[in-house]
């Protein structure tokens, strides 16, 4: 087969991979399944897909269509060729505003489609919790819904036309057909004619009609996605009089890529939703109470009614991003129902919410009824959408597993169903999280199971069997929006009956006689507890890590990644994670890919040092260690920490490269250079010598090199303090951490910071300490980083308090005290490290706090009018320390600050200097930051607190960015 794959690769315009690394990265999705594919194709054209179809037919293999890979039932896992259209099939092709439709390729991201539609007053309604990376092709495949399905229903209702390739390579278009057009399509011997004739034969048969109407889920359940949608097609002409025209799109929606390969999609779009909406966030003592109240909420016609249970709420407490979004929570409720109402104005919504509250209270339902508007609603929806990822934060091997999480029941039956559901779990000594779409009769229910054990594997299957029986009892749908895939396909026969199941098989093999399109999904599905990510009873060694991983080991931390793909969002969605993916759009460059490759080899390697794999090194290469995943990933996967741990062990086996040593020892070389800074700077900047140094060191020729100041900050400080011994400090004293970057390179900023603080009434003391260790940590030399961390903890912990804090100028250096130092502290220093971290602040944070206290006043600053554009450093963003910069910079009376919606600048310490990373570094910068800076008016101040960010801005735009302290110093009255 490899020879055939090599020949196929030469024929494609796009790419074909069949190496172990790429196959591993595509062996999983967001489900519990793992199966190694034969190859991974990234087609560039429809011609490529036709060639792939021909290859699959002649070689008796299969094609698995894939977009963002966020499926929860194993839809895009298989042993054939994964065909990833997420990179090259991303065009919005046509918009018709008069007829309210848009035509797109399958790789268009749902939220990005709506960004495009918004100026035209339109939007695409169905909204999955993964909407900032979920793609329209995947939404069609799964017939996705979302929290607002009580208004906008599912993707199926919006699907107008589909252009697709059939299994013989024929191009065709599926759309609405009147009766004459439908019968005309049935003429002939083409494959297209056969699929029309087959469905006519099936749905014209009276016995089949009776069986479909008897066995399919209740029509009152909007979210019924069990198997192929024969029941929906039956309710069209010519099979049911007085109904809408026949359209095969209704069958294709929810078919999971098993029938045809979609290349274009035409969607109905709606007018933009009302501008004024309010969220009534009702607190309950239990889930059962919330579900009874849900029936009252629905009487008042909400746009959404979403449940969040106490397990989810508990997870939000420990999540850096989501802990800020639980501001509205009072006490520890058993459940919260988030109900969205719309109206002409806030007053009408408030009146409606009062009516809802009065009726609920009259039935003793609910104890707290906060009503929220504006930006607060975005925070609450973000918290709700983070539910799936948050569930992966559970320590250890027990996880909230996707097994029966997608059942949909008539909303009136939901309280009784959930009661019986929980009784079944209780019988097995299990409990479940409950969250999501109460308004549509679909709660996402996930029992906590350890799939690494034989007992866990058995329970996985047992629970699936018993809940399938319960769903059938209520005439519900086993799949509401997540699809059947590998997980539920086995139970479709039970859900719709043997006769209907055989009709499903007839449909599948009429459309796809060679079984090349995503086989073993929906029909002929293997046992649902096979091909899982974890082999029951499989043993892994004890990993002796340098970092502390608390209630887990390094492998378990990587396993927190559940594949939900939050790291696949683009720069248009905001945030920082993941910078390299934003630039390349390659799955290999996602945080998910890095977690996958680590999990694969730490689990399955036969080496004594399981980190010693070049495959891991290659996938880790473009991780910028920006720390965005630590805060933005709902599963809290800290990939920067995992990468550093991996690099240390990889170096143990393979040695430390010269350039890594050079960068890690930056402080030592700078100290040596500071003896003769002019000579050092000449070597760094003189074209001939500088280019030679860059070539020898492995740095990019295009990149300017940092230079040394004429003196160090420590030398200047010692001279300064000896000359100013009697200076007054009405606001007390602060300790300044003299990091290695400020000491040698950004000395002027350090001098300005000290001068600013002194003018504002503070005594500034540089205590005895050593370098931060940031350069060692960034290059994976974490044992040396650990030595430095513990030395600084010992030097500073008794000195620093809430009255005498430690503040720092360079975010990446000072914030190590809050982050890596705690994870690297010895057991003896652990408590001291935690206590120290509470009183360590980035200088912008300190100044903002002092402004709030009134210790710094507006009278101390100019009244001149200035505009500032601020780019926050990645470490700031990870620790929510950008807002203090905004507060500090906007403190002068007429200063206005606009935060640049940029992610990582692309420099990321040494990353942007390295010759093989220069191009990607600049590409990341060009996404948002560099164009914004270039386009800023000359009188606009560019603020960038990070040293590498300022360097990137200088190299990319020739503009000079300032640190916050420089801007504030210049603003002093």
């Amino acid at each position: 087969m490899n020879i055939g794959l090599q020949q196929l690769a030469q024929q494609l315009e796009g790419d074909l991979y069949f190496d172990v690394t790429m196959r591993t990265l595509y062996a999983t999705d967001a489900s519990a399944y793992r199966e190694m594919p034969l190859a991974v194709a990234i087609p560039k054209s429809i011609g490529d897909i036709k060639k792939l179809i021909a290859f699959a037919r002649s070689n008796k293999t299969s094609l698995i269509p894939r977009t963002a890979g966020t499926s929860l039932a194993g839809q895009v896992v298989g042993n054939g060729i994964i065909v990833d259209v997420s990179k090259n099939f991303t065009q919005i092709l046509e918009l018709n505003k008069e007829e309210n439709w848009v035509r797109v390729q399958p790789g268009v991201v749902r939220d990005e489609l709506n960004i495009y539609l918004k100026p035209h007053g339109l939007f695409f309604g169905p909204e999955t919790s993964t909407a900032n990376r979920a793609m329209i092709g995947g939404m069609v495949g799964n017939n996705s819904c979302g929290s607002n399905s009580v208004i906008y229903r599912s993707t199926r209702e919006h699907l107008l036309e589909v252009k697709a390739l059939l299994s013989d390579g024929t191009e065709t278009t599926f759309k609405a057909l009147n009766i004459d057009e439908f019968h005309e399509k049935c003429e002939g011997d083409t494959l297209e004619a056969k699929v029309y004739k087959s469905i006519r034969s099936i749905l014209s048969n009276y016995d089949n009609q009776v069986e479909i109407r008897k066995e399919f889920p209740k029509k009152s359940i909007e979210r019924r996605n069990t198997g192929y949608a024969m029941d929906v097609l039956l309710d069209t002409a010519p099979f049911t009089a007085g109904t809408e025209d026949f359209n095969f799109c209704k069958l294709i929606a929810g078919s999971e890529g098993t029938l045809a390969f979609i290349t274009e999609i035409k969607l109905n779009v709606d007018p933009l939703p009302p501008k004024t909406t309010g969220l009534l966030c009702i607190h309950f003592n239990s889930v059962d109470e919330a579900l009874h109240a849900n029936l009252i909420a629905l009487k008042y016609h909400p746009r959404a009614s979403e449940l969040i249970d106490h397990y989810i709420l508990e997870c939000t407490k420990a999540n850096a991003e989501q802990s800020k979004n639980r501001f509205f929570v009072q006490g520890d409720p058993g459940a919260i129902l988030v109900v969205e109402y719309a109206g002409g104005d806030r007053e009408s919504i408030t009146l409606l919410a009062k009516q809802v509250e009065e009726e609920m209270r009259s039935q003793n339902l609910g104890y707290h009824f906060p009503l929220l508007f504006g930006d607060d609603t975005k925070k609450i929806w973000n918290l709700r959408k983070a539910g799936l990822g948050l569930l992966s934060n559970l320590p250890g091997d027990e996880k909230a597993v996707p097994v029966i999480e997608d059942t949909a029941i008539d909303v009136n039956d939901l309280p009784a169903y959930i009661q019986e559901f929980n009784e079944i779990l209780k019988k097995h000594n299990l409990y479940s999280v409950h969250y999501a779409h109460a308004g549509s009769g679909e709660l996402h229910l996930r029992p906590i199971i350890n799939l690494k054990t034989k007992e866990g594997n058995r329970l996985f299957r047992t629970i699936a069997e018993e809940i399938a029986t319960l769903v059938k009892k209520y005439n519900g749908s086993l799949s509401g929006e997540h699809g059947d895939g590998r997980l539920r396909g086995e139970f479709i026969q039970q859900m719709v009956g043997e006769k209907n199941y055989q009709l499903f098989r007839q449909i599948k093999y009429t459309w796809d006689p060679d079984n090349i399109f995503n086989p073993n999904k929906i029909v002929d599905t293997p046992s649902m507890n096979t091909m899982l990510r974890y082999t029951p009873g499989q043993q892994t060694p004890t990993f002796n890590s340098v970092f502390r991983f608390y209630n887990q080991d390094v492998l378990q931390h990587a396993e927190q990644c559940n594949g939900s793909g939050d790291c696949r969002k683009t720069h248009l969605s905001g945030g920082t994670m993941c910078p390299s993916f934003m630039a390349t759009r390659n799955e290999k460059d996602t945080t998910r890919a890095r977690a996958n490759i680590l999990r694969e080899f730490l689990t399955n390697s036969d080496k004594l040092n399981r980190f010693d794999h070049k495959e891991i090194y290659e996938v880790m290469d473009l991780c910028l260690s920006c720390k965005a995943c630590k805060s933005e990933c709902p599963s809290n996967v800290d990939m920067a920490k995992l990468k550093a741990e991996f690099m240390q062990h990889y170096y143990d086996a393979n040695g430390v490269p010269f350039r890594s040593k050079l960068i890690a020892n930056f402080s030592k070389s700078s100290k040596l250079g500071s003896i003769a800074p002019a000579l050092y700077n000449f070597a760094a900047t003189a074209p001939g010598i500088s280019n030679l140094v860059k070539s020898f060191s492995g740095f990019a020729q295009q990149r300017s090199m940092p230079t040394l100041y004429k003196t160090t900050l420590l030398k200047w400080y010692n001279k300064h303090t000896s000359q100013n011994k009697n200076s007054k400090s009405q606001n007390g004293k602060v300790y300044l951490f003299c990091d290695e970057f400020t000491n040698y390179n950004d000395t002027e900023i350090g001098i300005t910071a000290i001068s600013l603080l002194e003018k504002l009434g503070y005594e500034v003391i540089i205590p005895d300490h050593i370098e931060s260790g940031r350069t060692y940590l960034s290059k994976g030399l974490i044992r040396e980083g650990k030595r430095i961390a513990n030395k600084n903890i010992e030097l500073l912990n008794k000195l620093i308090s809430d009255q005498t804090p430690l503040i720092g100028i360079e975010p990446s250096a000072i914030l190590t005290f809050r982050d890596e130092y705690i994870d690297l502290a010895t057991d003896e220093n652990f408590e001291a490290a935690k206590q120290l971290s509470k009183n360590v602040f980035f200088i912008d944070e300190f100044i903002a706090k002092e402004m709030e206290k009134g210790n710094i006043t507006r009278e101390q600053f100019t009244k001149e009018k200035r505009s500032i554009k601020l780019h926050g450093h990645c470490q700031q963003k990870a620790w929510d320390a950008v807002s203090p910069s905004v507060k500090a910079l906007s403190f002068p009376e007429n200063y206005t600050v606009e935060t640049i919606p940029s992610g990582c600048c692309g420099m990321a310490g040494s990353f942007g200097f390295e010759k093989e990373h220069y191009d990607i570094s600049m590409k990341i910068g060009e996404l948002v930051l560099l164009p914004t800076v270039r386009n800023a008016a000359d009188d606009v101040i560019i603020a960038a607190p990070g040293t590498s960010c300022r360097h990137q801005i200088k190299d990319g735009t020739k503009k000079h960015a300032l640190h916050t302290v420089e801007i504030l110093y210049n603003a002093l009255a």
Side-chain angles (χ1 to χ4, degrees), residues 483-507:
D484 297 311
R486 296 287 296 269
L487 181 60
R488 285 173 277 272
E490 186 182 356
F491 302 104
I492 290 177
Q493 192 170 348
Q494 176 186 356
M495 303 310 296
V496 300
E498 175 64 24
K499 184 176 179 66
N500 287 328
Y501 179 72
Q502 291 305 323
L503 294 178
F504 284 175
R505 296 188 76 250
Q506 183 179 332
I507 289 172

mmCIF file of all heavy atoms in Angstrom, residues 483-507:
data_model
loop_
_atom_site.group_PDB
_atom_site.id
_atom_site.type_symbol
_atom_site.label_atom_id
_atom_site.label_comp_id
_atom_site.label_asym_id
_atom_site.label_seq_id
_atom_site.Cartn_x
_atom_site.Cartn_y
_atom_site.Cartn_z
ATOM 1 N N GLY A 483 -24.451 13.124 17.187
ATOM 2 C CA GLY A 483 -24.353 12.076 16.181
ATOM 3 C C GLY A 483 -24.207 10.680 16.756
ATOM 4 O O GLY A 483 -24.056 10.474 17.957
ATOM 5 N N ASP A 484 -24.243 9.699 15.842
ATOM 6 C CA ASP A 484 -24.163 8.286 16.229
ATOM 7 C C ASP A 484 -22.721 7.786 16.262
ATOM 8 O O ASP A 484 -22.258 7.224 17.250
ATOM 9 C CB ASP A 484 -24.983 7.434 15.260
ATOM 10 C CG ASP A 484 -26.459 7.777 15.303
ATOM 11 O OD1 ASP A 484 -27.016 7.853 16.410
ATOM 12 O OD2 ASP A 484 -27.049 7.991 14.237
ATOM 13 N N GLY A 485 -22.013 7.974 15.128
ATOM 14 C CA GLY A 485 -20.611 7.609 15.060
ATOM 15 C C GLY A 485 -20.316 6.191 15.481
ATOM 16 O O GLY A 485 -21.070 5.255 15.227
ATOM 17 N N ARG A 486 -19.173 6.026 16.166
ATOM 18 C CA ARG A 486 -18.774 4.722 16.705
ATOM 19 C C ARG A 486 -19.501 4.420 18.007
ATOM 20 O O ARG A 486 -19.595 3.272 18.430
ATOM 21 C CB ARG A 486 -17.256 4.734 16.977
ATOM 22 C CG ARG A 486 -16.393 4.885 15.759
ATOM 23 C CD ARG A 486 -16.383 3.612 14.939
ATOM 24 N NE ARG A 486 -15.792 2.509 15.664
ATOM 25 C CZ ARG A 486 -14.502 2.193 15.614
ATOM 26 N NH1 ARG A 486 -13.672 2.884 14.847
ATOM 27 N NH2 ARG A 486 -14.026 1.158 16.277
ATOM 28 N N LEU A 487 -19.984 5.469 18.655
ATOM 29 C CA LEU A 487 -20.490 5.345 20.019
ATOM 30 C C LEU A 487 -21.910 4.794 20.074
ATOM 31 O O LEU A 487 -22.220 3.896 20.857
ATOM 32 C CB LEU A 487 -20.435 6.715 20.707
ATOM 33 C CG LEU A 487 -20.891 6.809 22.157
ATOM 34 C CD1 LEU A 487 -20.051 5.909 23.046
ATOM 35 C CD2 LEU A 487 -20.794 8.261 22.627
ATOM 36 N N ARG A 488 -22.792 5.326 19.224
ATOM 37 C CA ARG A 488 -24.210 4.970 19.313
ATOM 38 C C ARG A 488 -24.714 4.129 18.140
ATOM 39 O O ARG A 488 -25.848 3.657 18.158
ATOM 40 C CB ARG A 488 -25.041 6.250 19.432
ATOM 41 C CG ARG A 488 -24.964 6.875 20.820
ATOM 42 C CD ARG A 488 -25.647 8.217 20.895
ATOM 43 N NE ARG A 488 -24.795 9.293 20.443
ATOM 44 C CZ ARG A 488 -23.945 9.962 21.221
ATOM 45 N NH1 ARG A 488 -23.854 9.656 22.498
ATOM 46 N NH2 ARG A 488 -23.192 10.934 20.740
ATOM 47 N N GLY A 489 -23.871 3.966 17.119
ATOM 48 C CA GLY A 489 -24.301 3.209 15.950
ATOM 49 C C GLY A 489 -24.775 1.815 16.285
ATOM 50 O O GLY A 489 -25.724 1.296 15.688
ATOM 51 N N GLU A 490 -24.153 1.200 17.255
ATOM 52 C CA GLU A 490 -24.488 -0.173 17.637
ATOM 53 C C GLU A 490 -25.917 -0.296 18.169
ATOM 54 O O GLU A 490 -26.537 -1.354 18.089
ATOM 55 C CB GLU A 490 -23.497 -0.646 18.711
ATOM 56 C CG GLU A 490 -23.648 -2.092 19.101
ATOM 57 C CD GLU A 490 -22.679 -2.498 20.197
ATOM 58 O OE1 GLU A 490 -21.834 -1.672 20.598
ATOM 59 O OE2 GLU A 490 -22.786 -3.649 20.658
ATOM 60 N N PHE A 491 -26.470 0.822 18.689
ATOM 61 C CA PHE A 491 -27.782 0.759 19.328
ATOM 62 C C PHE A 491 -28.910 1.269 18.429
ATOM 63 O O PHE A 491 -30.066 1.311 18.857
ATOM 64 C CB PHE A 491 -27.755 1.567 20.632
ATOM 65 C CG PHE A 491 -26.711 1.075 21.598
ATOM 66 C CD1 PHE A 491 -25.531 1.780 21.782
ATOM 67 C CD2 PHE A 491 -26.891 -0.116 22.283
ATOM 68 C CE1 PHE A 491 -24.561 1.320 22.657
ATOM 69 C CE2 PHE A 491 -25.922 -0.587 23.158
ATOM 70 C CZ PHE A 491 -24.744 0.128 23.346
ATOM 71 N N ILE A 492 -28.585 1.657 17.208
ATOM 72 C CA ILE A 492 -29.620 2.191 16.315
ATOM 73 C C ILE A 492 -30.692 1.152 16.020
ATOM 74 O O ILE A 492 -31.890 1.462 15.969
ATOM 75 C CB ILE A 492 -28.973 2.719 15.012
ATOM 76 C CG1 ILE A 492 -28.166 3.980 15.321
ATOM 77 C CG2 ILE A 492 -30.031 3.007 13.962
ATOM 78 C CD1 ILE A 492 -27.425 4.549 14.131
ATOM 79 N N GLN A 493 -30.268 -0.090 15.867
ATOM 80 C CA GLN A 493 -31.218 -1.170 15.594
ATOM 81 C C GLN A 493 -32.270 -1.247 16.701
ATOM 82 O O GLN A 493 -33.470 -1.383 16.438
ATOM 83 C CB GLN A 493 -30.452 -2.490 15.478
ATOM 84 C CG GLN A 493 -31.256 -3.639 14.924
ATOM 85 C CD GLN A 493 -30.354 -4.826 14.605
ATOM 86 O OE1 GLN A 493 -29.137 -4.718 14.587
ATOM 87 N NE2 GLN A 493 -30.960 -5.953 14.336
ATOM 88 N N GLN A 494 -31.819 -1.138 17.940
ATOM 89 C CA GLN A 494 -32.736 -1.158 19.085
ATOM 90 C C GLN A 494 -33.635 0.080 19.080
ATOM 91 O O GLN A 494 -34.822 -0.003 19.419
ATOM 92 C CB GLN A 494 -31.928 -1.201 20.387
ATOM 93 C CG GLN A 494 -32.781 -1.134 21.644
ATOM 94 C CD GLN A 494 -31.922 -1.042 22.904
ATOM 95 O OE1 GLN A 494 -30.691 -1.108 22.835
ATOM 96 N NE2 GLN A 494 -32.560 -0.885 24.047
ATOM 97 N N MET A 495 -33.087 1.220 18.668
ATOM 98 C CA MET A 495 -33.828 2.472 18.759
ATOM 99 C C MET A 495 -34.909 2.604 17.692
ATOM 100 O O MET A 495 -35.957 3.208 17.935
ATOM 101 C CB MET A 495 -32.869 3.668 18.653
ATOM 102 C CG MET A 495 -31.756 3.691 19.700
ATOM 103 S SD MET A 495 -32.351 3.471 21.391
ATOM 104 C CE MET A 495 -33.350 4.927 21.592
ATOM 105 N N VAL A 496 -34.685 2.069 16.501
ATOM 106 C CA VAL A 496 -35.665 2.260 15.407
ATOM 107 C C VAL A 496 -36.280 0.951 14.924
ATOM 108 O O VAL A 496 -37.132 0.970 14.034
ATOM 109 C CB VAL A 496 -35.025 3.001 14.209
ATOM 110 C CG1 VAL A 496 -34.522 4.380 14.620
ATOM 111 C CG2 VAL A 496 -33.916 2.178 13.562
ATOM 112 N N GLY A 497 -35.845 -0.158 15.483
ATOM 113 C CA GLY A 497 -36.393 -1.444 15.071
ATOM 114 C C GLY A 497 -35.620 -2.068 13.917
ATOM 115 O O GLY A 497 -34.955 -1.388 13.136
ATOM 116 N N GLU A 498 -35.709 -3.387 13.819
ATOM 117 C CA GLU A 498 -34.943 -4.149 12.832
ATOM 118 C C GLU A 498 -35.295 -3.733 11.400
ATOM 119 O O GLU A 498 -34.417 -3.580 10.552
ATOM 120 C CB GLU A 498 -35.204 -5.649 13.027
ATOM 121 C CG GLU A 498 -34.558 -6.553 11.977
ATOM 122 C CD GLU A 498 -33.037 -6.499 11.995
ATOM 123 O OE1 GLU A 498 -32.457 -6.145 13.051
ATOM 124 O OE2 GLU A 498 -32.428 -6.802 10.953
ATOM 125 N N LYS A 499 -36.585 -3.557 11.132
ATOM 126 C CA LYS A 499 -37.001 -3.238 9.755
ATOM 127 C C LYS A 499 -36.411 -1.897 9.300
ATOM 128 O O LYS A 499 -35.845 -1.789 8.201
ATOM 129 C CB LYS A 499 -38.524 -3.204 9.671
ATOM 130 C CG LYS A 499 -39.070 -2.983 8.256
ATOM 131 C CD LYS A 499 -40.592 -3.056 8.248
ATOM 132 C CE LYS A 499 -41.162 -2.805 6.861
ATOM 133 N NZ LYS A 499 -40.808 -3.855 5.892
ATOM 134 N N ASN A 500 -36.514 -0.880 10.145
ATOM 135 C CA ASN A 500 -35.972 0.437 9.783
ATOM 136 C C ASN A 500 -34.453 0.405 9.685
ATOM 137 O O ASN A 500 -33.863 1.084 8.837
ATOM 138 C CB ASN A 500 -36.410 1.486 10.802
ATOM 139 C CG ASN A 500 -37.873 1.847 10.661
ATOM 140 O OD1 ASN A 500 -38.413 1.827 9.550
ATOM 141 N ND2 ASN A 500 -38.532 2.164 11.771
ATOM 142 N N TYR A 501 -33.838 -0.401 10.552
ATOM 143 C CA TYR A 501 -32.376 -0.502 10.495
ATOM 144 C C TYR A 501 -31.926 -1.092 9.165
ATOM 145 O O TYR A 501 -30.943 -0.628 8.560
ATOM 146 C CB TYR A 501 -31.859 -1.349 11.663
ATOM 147 C CG TYR A 501 -30.351 -1.505 11.655
ATOM 148 C CD1 TYR A 501 -29.524 -0.443 11.975
ATOM 149 C CD2 TYR A 501 -29.756 -2.726 11.314
ATOM 150 C CE1 TYR A 501 -28.136 -0.579 11.966
ATOM 151 C CE2 TYR A 501 -28.386 -2.871 11.299
ATOM 152 C CZ TYR A 501 -27.582 -1.800 11.620
ATOM 153 O OH TYR A 501 -26.210 -1.932 11.594
ATOM 154 N N GLN A 502 -32.630 -2.073 8.685
ATOM 155 C CA GLN A 502 -32.280 -2.664 7.385
ATOM 156 C C GLN A 502 -32.505 -1.662 6.247
ATOM 157 O O GLN A 502 -31.784 -1.675 5.244
ATOM 158 C CB GLN A 502 -33.076 -3.940 7.142
ATOM 159 C CG GLN A 502 -32.687 -5.094 8.065
ATOM 160 C CD GLN A 502 -31.189 -5.419 8.023
ATOM 161 O OE1 GLN A 502 -30.550 -5.356 6.958
ATOM 162 N NE2 GLN A 502 -30.629 -5.758 9.175
ATOM 163 N N LEU A 503 -33.482 -0.776 6.414
ATOM 164 C CA LEU A 503 -33.678 0.294 5.426
ATOM 165 C C LEU A 503 -32.488 1.260 5.447
ATOM 166 O O LEU A 503 -32.064 1.762 4.409
ATOM 167 C CB LEU A 503 -34.978 1.050 5.697
ATOM 168 C CG LEU A 503 -36.276 0.251 5.517
ATOM 169 C CD1 LEU A 503 -37.489 1.113 5.867
ATOM 170 C CD2 LEU A 503 -36.393 -0.293 4.090
ATOM 171 N N PHE A 504 -31.952 1.517 6.642
ATOM 172 C CA PHE A 504 -30.739 2.344 6.751
ATOM 173 C C PHE A 504 -29.594 1.703 5.966
ATOM 174 O O PHE A 504 -28.860 2.388 5.236
ATOM 175 C CB PHE A 504 -30.310 2.484 8.222
ATOM 176 C CG PHE A 504 -31.140 3.428 9.041
ATOM 177 C CD1 PHE A 504 -30.912 3.542 10.403
ATOM 178 C CD2 PHE A 504 -32.135 4.208 8.475
ATOM 179 C CE1 PHE A 504 -31.655 4.406 11.186
ATOM 180 C CE2 PHE A 504 -32.892 5.085 9.249
ATOM 181 C CZ PHE A 504 -32.648 5.180 10.611
ATOM 182 N N ARG A 505 -29.451 0.400 6.120
ATOM 183 C CA ARG A 505 -28.378 -0.306 5.419
ATOM 184 C C ARG A 505 -28.598 -0.235 3.906
ATOM 185 O O ARG A 505 -27.654 -0.089 3.130
ATOM 186 C CB ARG A 505 -28.291 -1.765 5.878
ATOM 187 C CG ARG A 505 -27.907 -1.910 7.342
ATOM 188 C CD ARG A 505 -27.629 -3.359 7.731
ATOM 189 N NE ARG A 505 -26.314 -3.790 7.243
ATOM 190 C CZ ARG A 505 -26.112 -4.666 6.269
ATOM 191 N NH1 ARG A 505 -27.147 -5.211 5.631
ATOM 192 N NH2 ARG A 505 -24.891 -5.004 5.902
ATOM 193 N N GLN A 506 -29.856 -0.331 3.508
ATOM 194 C CA GLN A 506 -30.166 -0.225 2.080
ATOM 195 C C GLN A 506 -29.771 1.151 1.545
ATOM 196 O O GLN A 506 -29.198 1.264 0.450
ATOM 197 C CB GLN A 506 -31.665 -0.468 1.856
ATOM 198 C CG GLN A 506 -32.073 -0.444 0.375
ATOM 199 C CD GLN A 506 -33.555 -0.708 0.180
ATOM 200 O OE1 GLN A 506 -34.183 -1.393 0.987
ATOM 201 N NE2 GLN A 506 -34.119 -0.156 -0.876
ATOM 202 N N ILE A 507 -30.065 2.193 2.309
ATOM 203 C CA ILE A 507 -29.675 3.548 1.904
ATOM 204 C C ILE A 507 -28.160 3.651 1.791
ATOM 205 O O ILE A 507 -27.624 4.115 0.771
ATOM 206 C CB ILE A 507 -30.217 4.583 2.912
ATOM 207 C CG1 ILE A 507 -31.732 4.703 2.779
ATOM 208 C CG2 ILE A 507 -29.558 5.940 2.709
ATOM 209 C CD1 ILE A 507 -32.377 5.549 3.864
#
